Amino acid sequence: MKKVNQDLLNERRKCTFDIGELTTLIDGGPEKTRDRKEKEEIMLSKTFDRVPEEYLSHKEKFENAIKQSVIIFSLVRRLQKEGKTTISNYRDVISNLLRSTTLRDGSPLGLHYIMFMPAIINQANDEQQAQWLERAWNCNIIGSYAQTELGHGTFIRGLETTATYDASTKEFVLHSPTLTSYKWWPGGLGQAANYCIVVAQLYTNGKCYGVHSFVVQVRDEETHEPLPGIKVGDIGVKFALNSVNNGFLGFDNFRIPRNQMLMKHAQVLEDGTYVKSRNSKLNYGAMVFVRVVIVFDMVNYLSKASIIAVRYSAVRRQSQRKSGEPESQILDYLTQQNKLFIAIAASHALRISANKLWDTFNTINTELLGGNLDRLPELHALACCLKAVSTSDTASFVERCRLACGGHGYMLSSNLPLTYGLVTAACTYEGENTVLLLQTARFLAKTWQQVASGESKLTPTVEYLKTASSKNIPEKWVNSVENIVNAFQIISVRKISSCMENMQRRVSSGSSFEDAWNMSSIQLTSSAEAHCRVIILMSFYEEMQTCAKNVSPELRIVLNQLMELYSVYWALEKLSDLMQYTLVTSEDVESLQAWYEDTLRKLRPNAVGLVDAFDIRDEVLQSTLGSYDGRVYERLMEEALKSPLNAETVNYTFHKYLKPFMQGKL
């Protein structure tokens, strides 16, 4: 093993808690840590001769990604055959893929696991699952998920692709009537997938029944040629995720058998009779699952970014704070701590909220099987706002980490620019964030009507609306996490109440409900975000109360400091709300700022230990700045020498162009 940077060694000696204990807590217990490490050993057992991807063409990136993906996913198949991964613990399958993958810019096979199979699990009936799921699980077929179109994204009801049932042949005829109806963005569809889930407008017996999902073969299983009536290809170069092979897909009266409509919830009988689902939102199960996965994905990316930036900041020295002293580690500057420590705290806050969302997803799924649909709107609203806020926050904090690394953070070899490209994409895919917040706001508006009418029973995640609306605001502010949580609850309640009052006033003045909603939409998205902040803060606070009983005193202190930092950070970020809706004064703000800065100081000795506890291996991190050994400058030079321009000391362009130009001959 190569020598570890002395500054990093010193940082690890300063750590006041057991790093392994925190790793185990993050994983969910010692057994899960052992299981994760064992699977990582398998997943990372294959090494690749790497040409840095930034030097490859778009075509070469795809070909390289396919080669590596096949090797990586064959290891997943090995785990399956050994019984170490099963379809019954599907989230763990996804978690292992997200955490252990060495594909920096995405995989063309990723959507097969993240959306194709979940759609079959959630929307296919037993007979269809028997037909498709094992083949998909074993990767005998590779699938994608085609919903978004060239002309329509988040507005699913506006999709133009049609699936018209022909009772005479017992087939659906899929058709793309316009250019804007072409499917656009499905991952892996360009060249990798031979099947996909297609979301289309269902027509039967001359009537449209809205969007439904269909399993569609798009390429021949042997030759991989597109089937007749299918037009499919790659959409081209993007800001990031260029290995994902996003595709386009069009249909020219393409026929599929009736039983390829996913029929767990709604059916079309042989004679064309439409059998309605108990609840139209049951078809959104796969989408909700994906939004759960996205929140976990953001935790993974934010953990990586904070590891890279904190380790680099411990190694990098810049300027003398006092004459005669050596240059200071930039991690000693309070401004650097302000940039980075919130990313660590947010990783924990979002992880806890993601676990809560996953538990809620499972609980409500169980209730659905029993015929209880009461909490389905709550689940949809929760998944929408957590997806929106987690992706937005992660994009902001990852960029903050990149900027904190100065010029070296701008190098692609740091892996921070690529990470930013991946997380900022998540602000748009699987539901654009503003639209998702408005969907949460719609649920909150209906809930507020229940509160106003005196309804006593609310679903768990909005129960606070009833209690907070009757809370008295303390006249004297006291710095505590509990007070911040209470303040955010009051902010959320008053924002929602204000929205409803403004909408009612507009309607009373002659506006239609739709116009009143549009004119209130900025406030509505703000209300939805405020609600989500309450959920995250409450979850973090409650989890810390629970885990305080199960961890060592040393770790408890540090976890509480992270919780305090996260809470007071957002209190300071939302000062205008605090001052508008609570009795916080300017003196209280000074007190909050002092508390925040003091917490940064307390966390400083444990900064490297905290990111080490994320336990992400160098092979996955793939960063010149963030490796465990801290050999930042050596790795930067090693990567620079891989540039094709360094293969020769003089490039041909000198003699052909530059020299004649310099001599005035060109």
Side-chain angles (χ1 to χ4, degrees):
M1 185 176 177
K2 292 179 180 177
K3 186 178 178 182
V4 177
N5 177 275
Q6 189 60 48
D7 283 326
L8 274 184
L9 287 174
N10 294 338
E11 292 292 331
R12 289 171 179 136
R13 291 190 189 110
K14 285 192 290 188
C15 188
T16 63
F17 66 92
D18 183 344
I19 293 171
E21 184 186 5
L22 180 52
T23 300
T24 299
L25 180 69
I26 292 168
D27 287 333
E31 188 176 328
K32 289 192 175 180
T33 298
R34 285 193 298 272
D35 181 59
R36 172 181 61 77
K37 286 178 176 288
E38 182 183 351
K39 288 174 181 172
E40 281 180 354
E41 282 296 327
I42 294 171
M43 293 291 290
L44 299 173
S45 60
K46 299 286 187 181
T47 57
F48 304 102
D49 295 326
R50 291 188 179 278
V51 176
E53 289 189 357
E54 47 268 37
Y55 302 124
L56 300 179
S57 69
H58 184 61
K59 182 171 179 284
E60 288 168 333
K61 280 185 180 181
F62 166 72
E63 292 164 350
N64 192 49
I66 284 288
K67 177 183 175 182
Q68 293 185 27
S69 294
V70 165
I71 294 171
I72 290 169
F73 283 85
S74 69
L75 297 173
V76 175
R77 186 183 281 173
R78 174 182 154 189
L79 289 172
Q80 292 167 192
K81 287 180 178 177
E82 293 175 0
K84 293 172 181 173
T85 292
T86 65
I87 206 160
S88 61
N89 61 339
Y90 196 75
R91 200 207 91 192
D92 287 345
V93 178
I94 302 296
S95 178
N96 289 323
L97 283 172
L98 295 177
R99 185 181 169 94
S100 303
T101 183
T102 54
L103 294 164
R104 288 202 303 176
D105 206 18
S107 167
L109 306 187
L111 217 62
H112 174 76
Y113 281 91
I114 294 170
M115 288 204 73
F116 181 71
M117 282 203 285
I120 294 173
I121 292 167
N122 285 286
Q123 297 182 41
N125 62 27
D126 292 344
E127 183 182 324
Q128 291 172 321
Q129 289 195 28
Q131 180 181 359
W132 300 107
L133 198 51
E134 185 176 355
R135 295 191 74 203
W137 179 244
N138 293 325
C139 292
N140 301 133
I141 58 174
I142 299 297
S144 183
Y145 188 92
Q147 176 173 292
T148 297
E149 295 175 353
L150 194 54
H152 285 90
T154 306
F155 182 54
I156 299 172
R157 283 179 294 151
L159 296 179
E160 298 177 82
T161 303
T162 58
T164 305
Y165 184 63
D166 182 351
S168 67
T169 61
K170 299 181 177 59
E171 294 174 316
F172 285 100
V173 182
L174 274 74
H175 189 60
S176 305
T178 63
L179 176 62
T180 52
S181 69
Y182 269 56
K183 297 299 180 183
W184 195 267
W185 284 111
L189 188 59
Q191 286 280 348
N194 54 4
Y195 282 79
C196 68
I197 303 295
V198 174
V199 181
Q201 300 284 358
L202 167 62
Y203 286 83
T204 182
N205 292 332
K207 184 177 178 181
C208 180
Y209 288 92
V211 293
H212 289 70
S213 298
F214 303 82
V215 179
V216 181
Q217 182 179 355
V218 295
R219 289 178 179 270
D220 185 275
E221 289 192 24
E222 286 299 321
T223 66
H224 209 56
E225 288 290 337
L227 298 178
I230 296 284
K231 188 171 183 180
V232 63
D234 180 84
I235 66 170
V237 181
K238 307 168 293 287
F239 183 60
L241 293 164
N242 283 299
S243 297
V244 170
N245 188 222
N246 299 88
F248 63 79
L249 173 65
F251 300 101
D252 183 8
N253 294 305
F254 183 76
R255 290 177 173 266
I256 60 171
R258 180 186 68 90
N259 65 1
Q260 287 182 216
M261 170 185 164
L262 295 181
M263 296 195 192
K264 183 175 183 177
H265 304 301
Q267 297 89 38
V268 171
L269 304 183
E270 288 189 2
D271 65 358
T273 301
Y274 179 75
V275 181
K276 188 178 180 181
S277 169
R278 286 178 298 157
N279 188 312
S280 61
K281 288 186 172 62
L282 288 171
N283 284 324
Y284 296 147
M287 189 64 74
V288 172
F289 175 82
V290 171
R291 287 172 186 159
V292 175
V293 170
I294 288 171
V295 181
F296 279 106
D297 210 10
M298 294 304 101
V299 174
N300 187 41
Y301 286 127
L302 188 52
S303 300
K304 287 179 180 178
S306 60
I307 292 171
I308 294 167
V310 168
R311 285 179 179 166
Y312 173 73
S313 297
V315 171
R316 180 73 167 181
R317 289 180 172 271
Q318 194 79 43
S319 305
Q320 295 172 302
R321 283 188 295 163
K322 295 178 182 176
S323 178
E325 289 187 351
E327 289 186 83
S328 297
Q329 293 168 276
I330 61 173
L331 195 54
D332 285 335
Y333 293 102
L334 195 68
T335 50
Q336 191 77 349
Q337 296 164 24
N338 174 52
K339 293 174 187 175
L340 300 182
F341 291 0
I342 183 58
I344 304 172
S347 295
H348 288 278
L350 294 178
R351 170 180 54 81
I352 290 163
S353 296
N355 284 328
K356 181 184 177 72
L357 176 58
W358 177 248
D359 291 343
T360 304
F361 176 76
N362 284 325
T363 298
I364 295 175
N365 259 351
T366 302
E367 292 173 359
L368 291 176
L369 293 173
N372 182 356
L373 308 178
D374 292 350
R375 292 186 64 190
L376 194 56
E378 176 192 28
L379 174 63
H380 178 64
L382 184 62
C384 283
C385 71
L386 278 175
K387 184 271 181 184
V389 170
S390 68
T391 55
S392 175
D393 285 1
T394 300
S396 173
F397 292 144
V398 168
E399 176 66 351
R400 198 170 168 130
C401 288
R402 186 191 69 77
L403 291 170
C405 294
H408 292 326
Y410 198 66
M411 297 290 294
L412 289 183
S413 68
S414 74
N415 206 13
L416 289 170
L418 273 170
T419 302
Y420 178 71
L422 298 175
V423 297
T424 196
C427 295
T428 304
Y429 63 63
E430 308 314 331
E432 193 276 332
N433 283 356
T434 301
V435 176
L436 293 187
L437 288 173
L438 286 170
Q439 290 185 23
T440 298
R442 198 172 293 277
F443 168 74
L444 293 173
K446 291 176 182 176
T447 303
W448 186 251
Q449 290 173 339
Q450 293 176 270
V451 174
S453 66
E455 190 168 322
S456 59
K457 188 177 180 182
L458 299 178
T459 50
T461 59
V462 288
E463 183 70 29
Y464 78 90
L465 292 177
K466 186 173 59 181
T467 55
S469 62
S470 59
K471 275 182 183 175
N472 293 319
I473 303 172
E475 292 186 12
K476 177 68 176 173
W477 176 266
V478 177
N479 282 345
S480 73
V481 173
E482 186 175 5
N483 275 351
I484 291 175
V485 171
N486 288 336
F488 270 79
Q489 289 178 341
I490 291 167
I491 289 167
S492 177
V493 165
R494 299 202 169 185
K495 283 194 168 193
I496 296 165
S497 172
S498 176
C499 279
M500 297 307 292
E501 289 170 5
N502 288 337
M503 283 186 63
Q504 186 59 50
R505 186 165 56 251
R506 286 180 170 122
V507 170
S508 298
S509 299
S511 295
S512 66
F513 173 82
E514 292 77 11
D515 286 340
W517 180 269
N518 183 46
M519 292 303 296
S520 306
S521 57
I522 294 174
Q523 289 176 287
L524 286 163
T525 56
S526 180
S527 299
E529 184 195 343
H531 167 67
C532 195
R533 298 281 171 214
V534 170
I535 297 297
I536 297 171
L537 286 165
M538 283 174 59
S539 300
F540 203 173
Y541 179 67
E542 290 166 3
E543 181 69 16
M544 289 303 99
Q545 305 311 300
T546 301
C547 83
K549 306 166 189 172
N550 305 314
V551 299
S552 66
E554 294 82 6
L555 181 56
R556 186 185 312 134
I557 290 168
V558 178
L559 289 173
N560 278 327
Q561 289 167 354
L562 286 172
M563 177 183 64
E564 289 179 6
L565 184 80
Y566 186 80
S567 302
V568 73
Y569 172 87
W570 281 109
L572 291 168
E573 283 290 300
K574 301 295 180 181
L575 269 183
S576 60
D577 289 340
L578 276 176
M579 300 188 84
Q580 181 177 355
Y581 296 109
T582 74
L583 298 179
V584 166
T585 65
S586 57
E587 290 79 10
D588 297 328
V589 174
E590 291 179 11
S591 176
L592 282 168
Q593 185 68 36
W595 180 19
Y596 176 72
E597 291 167 0
D598 188 49
T599 307
L600 291 174
R601 179 186 60 78
K602 289 176 180 175
L603 281 167
R604 168 63 187 90
N606 288 308
V608 170
L610 283 166
V611 297
D612 281 355
F614 291 133
D615 199 26
I616 297 176
R617 291 169 49 157
D618 285 352
E619 302 98 306
V620 176
L621 210 56
Q622 295 183 55
S623 171
T624 49
L625 307 188
S627 60
Y628 188 84
D629 61 19
R631 296 176 61 253
V632 169
Y633 304 114
E634 296 89 338
R635 289 176 188 272
L636 281 168
M637 182 57 75
E638 288 165 9
E639 285 300 307
L641 293 175
K642 292 177 184 177
S643 169
L645 286 175
N646 291 321
E648 52 191 0
T649 56
V650 179
N651 185 265
Y652 81 94
T653 56
F654 173 75
H655 294 289
K656 188 170 183 178
Y657 301 112
L658 190 56
K659 186 177 180 180
F661 171 72
M662 294 165 70
Q663 294 175 343
K665 297 177 181 178
L666 192 66

